[in-house]
Amino acid sequence: MNILPQDFYERDTATVAHGLLGKVLCVRNDDGEILRSRIVEVEAYLGVEDPACHTFNDRRTERTKSMYLHGGHSYVYLIYGMYHCLNVVTRTEEHPEAILIRAVEPLPHHQPPLKKKDMKTNGPGKLCKFYDITKKDDGLRLWKKSSDLYIVEDSFEVLEKQIHACPRIGVDYAGEAARWPLRFYLKDNPYISRK
DNA sequence: AGTGAGATGGCCT
DNA sequence: GGCCATCTCACTA
């Protein structure tokens, strides 16, 4: 289980989004245990020229501060007054782009198959609630094993053919950008947020 | 299966 | 004041 180095995140955002699929998100809980889950669905947000992105038009605010950090940091924000969303910052300080983690599959999968109603990690708000990811986890260094949040890779392999691309969810306000195929997920994975 | 409304509060104009 | 990178529940059928 190798941790992903910071330069993994400095590349083109759509490329990193593809690369994150199949990787393992590690969350340290209150007891110091590491909870692992496989990333199965993501969305890319392309910064100052992407009307769906929080940093569209170089909007620097208190909320978006973490998006202006170097690639490899976390960006966590509150949405609808109720749910948090976890993002991975990409590229560099000059390019505030990020990837939304929309769904994960808890590991190990040596457990009885879950009923649909038990799936608590098949959505960006749900997975943050499940793992207690909040503003306290904003701006963390995901390439450091000492962080409460980091990402590693195991022997799980993802082929390009297994990745499906389609428009992003919940960004209809963004005009034409709402149709850009920047949502990526692993075909046939049961933890996908929607079909 | 599909639709619609409400919860709830920070963020931005 | 209006909008939101969401989710659940209550309804229809």
Side-chain angles (χ1 to χ4, degrees), chain A residues 125-191:
Chain A
K126 281 196 275 185
L127 75 89
C128 284
K129 187 166 164 54
F130 186 79
Y131 288 113
D132 190 34
I133 294 169
T134 65
K135 289 292 281 183
K136 74 182 180 341
D137 300 301
D138 184 44
L140 297 183
R141 299 172 301 185
L142 299 174
W143 69 96
K144 296 258 188 193
K145 218 153 198 167
S146 55
S147 299
D148 289 341
L149 227 50
Y150 57 90
I151 301 175
V152 303
E153 64 178 347
D154 58 11
S155 58
F156 188 85
E157 287 195 35
V158 174
L159 304 173
E160 282 297 309
K161 299 225 67 151
Q162 299 173 279
I163 298 177
H164 188 257
C166 62
R168 294 171 291 184
I169 303 287
V171 295
D172 293 343
Y173 61 88
E176 187 195 334
R179 298 196 298 274
W180 295 351
L182 294 176
R183 176 184 179 222
F184 307 105
Y185 61 83
L186 295 181
K187 280 180 192 167
D188 304 325
N189 187 284
Y191 286 83

Side-chain angles (χ1 to χ4, degrees), chain A residues 1-192:
Chain A
M1 300 266 269
N2 294 322
I3 198 159
L4 299 182
Q6 187 171 26
D7 60 19
F8 176 93
Y9 304 100
E10 294 170 351
R11 300 171 296 159
D12 168 80
T13 301
T15 302
V16 179
H18 276 245
L20 279 180
L21 289 175
K23 298 300 188 291
V24 178
L25 176 67
C26 301
V27 185
R28 193 186 320 276
N29 69 9
D30 287 341
D31 297 328
E33 300 163 329
I34 305 296
L35 307 178
R36 296 178 176 82
S37 60
R38 196 170 305 286
I39 298 170
V40 300
E41 177 180 344
V42 298
E43 278 176 2
Y45 285 86
L46 304 186
V48 300
E49 295 183 349
D50 177 0
C53 187
H54 290 167
T55 55
F56 179 55
N57 282 150
D58 203 23
R59 175 180 291 172
R60 293 170 190 263
T61 66
E62 190 60 28
R63 177 175 68 156
T64 63
K65 206 154 58 178
S66 296
M67 283 198 65
Y68 288 85
L69 295 174
H70 202 84
H73 286 85
S74 62
Y75 168 49
V76 180
Y77 67 91
L78 183 68
I79 188 66
Y80 298 114
M82 234 174 307
Y83 298 100
H84 291 274
C85 288
L86 170 63
N87 294 253
V88 173
V89 176
T90 58
R91 302 193 69 185
T92 63
E93 287 81 350
E94 292 76 32
H95 297 275
E97 308 187 10
I99 295 163
L100 171 68
I101 309 297
R102 286 195 56 89
V104 299
E105 174 180 350
L107 300 176
H109 44 74
H110 302 295
Q111 52 193 5
L114 295 178
K115 304 262 187 190
K116 242 189 187 136
K117 71 184 187 82
D118 296 325
M119 304 227 289
K120 297 175 171 23
T121 60
N122 58 336
K126 281 196 275 185
L127 75 89
C128 284
K129 187 166 164 54
F130 186 79
Y131 288 113
D132 190 34
I133 294 169
T134 65
K135 289 292 281 183
K136 74 182 180 341
D137 300 301
D138 184 44
L140 297 183
R141 299 172 301 185
L142 299 174
W143 69 96
K144 296 258 188 193
K145 218 153 198 167
S146 55
S147 299
D148 289 341
L149 227 50
Y150 57 90
I151 301 175
V152 303
E153 64 178 347
D154 58 11
S155 58
F156 188 85
E157 287 195 35
V158 174
L159 304 173
E160 282 297 309
K161 299 225 67 151
Q162 299 173 279
I163 298 177
H164 188 257
C166 62
R168 294 171 291 184
I169 303 287
V171 295
D172 293 343
Y173 61 88
E176 187 195 334
R179 298 196 298 274
W180 295 351
L182 294 176
R183 176 184 179 222
F184 307 105
Y185 61 83
L186 295 181
K187 280 180 192 167
D188 304 325
N189 187 284
Y191 286 83
I192 296 312

